[in-house]
Amino acid sequence: MPSRRPSRKRPWGAEHQPLDMDRALGGVRHVSAGDGEWTVRRVRGNDKAYTCPTCHQQIPAGTPHVVAWVRDALGGEAAGLEARRHWHSACWERRERLR
């Protein structure tokens, strides 16, 4: 028999919160830009350091950043996935202005 108590997760009178698609898809999104079609994923960071292809600075281990690969690469998206790069979030956003 179900409980008669109202849910504490969302009060009955509260507005419905829209679904955050970025969070629901695990941070993966597709971007069309002047430099091609990209698959972009935001990651929280892990135990490895990477070098950003834009500024050539280290992305320290545990730092949130962006992983991106070209979707329209020669050989398909799988080939682009093999050539993926880790970017600082700010460097990813300004990459087109720097080229």
Side-chain angles (χ1 to χ4, degrees):
M1 184 181 217
S3 173
R4 292 182 183 215
R5 292 186 313 211
S7 172
R8 287 185 220 165
K9 293 181 182 177
R10 182 172 65 101
W12 292 103
E15 274 191 40
H16 175 71
Q17 296 294 321
L19 180 63
D20 183 1
M21 289 304 291
D22 190 39
R23 186 173 173 196
L25 294 173
V28 176
R29 60 191 165 105
H30 299 292
V31 175
S32 295
D35 56 350
E37 301 286 324
W38 292 84
T39 300
V40 181
R41 182 173 190 188
R42 296 196 181 277
V43 293
R44 293 183 186 183
N46 55 15
D47 56 349
K48 186 176 175 186
Y50 297 97
T51 301
C52 178
T54 301
C55 66
H56 305 290
Q57 300 292 319
Q58 284 283 351
I59 302 172
T63 303
H65 60 280
V66 173
V67 178
W69 60 93
V70 180
R71 296 180 67 204
D72 56 356
L74 187 63
E77 189 171 0
L81 181 60
E82 290 295 319
R84 67 186 176 267
R85 295 289 175 256
H86 296 254
W87 308 62
H88 290 109
S89 299
C91 291
W92 170 255
E93 295 298 327
R94 62 188 173 110
R95 76 190 183 288
E96 287 185 0
R97 292 184 302 226
L98 298 175
R99 293 181 187 234

